[in-house]
Amino acid sequence: MWYAIITQDVADSLAGRKANRSAHLERLQALADQGRLLVAGPHPAVDADDPGTAGFTGSLIVADFDSLESAQAWAEEDPYTVGGVTEKIKVKPFKKVLP
């Protein structure tokens, strides 16, 4: 089943994001390689594709997991979480309708 992982960053998370980005993207790429990633990306802190030094406020990942518990565990093991970038995690079942 698809699950939406919605995270909120700590304040001033840009340096932590940069330090942990490579490992974070590797985990996402592994999901993509397995055909389990629907979408993933950050929430810019300002209304711009490139927020510059304003950074990001969190992320959205929609991926396929066996259970809510496994999706939650995956999110808690993410380098952004372990590296202190993520302040809050919300994991919810997601039903894809369109497109």
Side-chain angles (χ1 to χ4, degrees):
M1 178 169 196
W2 294 112
Y3 291 90
I5 299 170
I6 305 145
T7 66
Q8 180 179 326
D9 286 5
V10 297
D12 301 316
S13 63
L14 191 56
R17 278 182 165 268
K18 288 179 180 179
N20 292 282
R21 187 171 192 264
S22 179
H24 170 73
L25 292 178
E26 283 178 25
R27 291 182 88 231
L28 289 172
Q29 188 60 55
L31 288 177
D33 292 346
Q34 297 166 15
R36 297 174 47 207
L37 183 63
L38 183 63
V39 66
H43 300 287
V46 294
D47 190 14
D49 284 337
D50 180 358
T53 59
F56 301 91
T57 61
S59 298
L60 169 67
I61 299 165
V62 179
D64 181 37
F65 292 94
D66 292 334
S67 66
L68 179 62
E69 293 79 16
S70 63
Q72 183 74 40
W74 187 93
E76 290 173 2
E77 295 167 3
D78 187 78
Y80 281 173
T81 305
V82 175
V85 173
T86 301
E87 181 175 55
K88 293 181 186 175
I89 303 169
K90 183 163 194 133
V91 180
K92 301 164 61 166
F94 178 81
K95 182 176 178 179
K96 183 179 183 290
V97 176
L98 292 171

